[in-house]
Amino acid sequence: GSGFQYQIGCEGDTGYATPDLDLMIVHGFAFAYFHTGDTAYRDRALTIWDNGVSEGYLGTRKHMNQQYRTAGSAVWYIENAP
């Protein structure tokens, strides 16, 4: 699958993506679009959203909370951009 590879203090490629965490950062891209009007941020946010929804794992409450707790703000930022 596709998704971001989250790496802290790692060298090189971990070899796997974690789409079940993608919606934890989607609002950052939507926020950037809201404040800059740069459609590249909007397009990236929508791609992240689609990927997180289609490939994210929701088998536990923890995963559900991680995915959707703050992701709704991304929708608001995109829909209400000036």
Side-chain angles (χ1 to χ4, degrees):
S2 59
F4 285 92
Q5 293 186 25
Y6 298 91
Q7 302 175 350
I8 299 174
C10 297
E11 290 187 27
D13 188 346
T14 61
Y16 62 91
T18 52
D20 56 320
L21 298 177
D22 285 357
L23 294 186
M24 292 178 68
I25 63 168
V26 69
H27 60 280
F29 288 91
F31 178 86
Y33 168 62
F34 180 83
H35 286 285
T36 67
D38 185 340
T39 57
Y41 290 118
R42 180 202 60 207
D43 296 345
R44 178 57 64 99
L46 294 174
T47 299
I48 295 167
W49 180 272
D50 290 343
N51 188 58
V53 169
S54 66
E55 296 188 36
Y57 173 74
L58 299 176
T60 68
R61 284 181 286 190
K62 176 185 183 285
H63 286 91
M64 178 69 177
N65 288 338
Q66 285 180 169
Q67 281 286 75
Y68 293 104
R69 177 84 167 108
T70 61
S73 63
V75 175
W76 188 90
Y77 284 129
I78 290 170
E79 291 294 319
N80 293 286

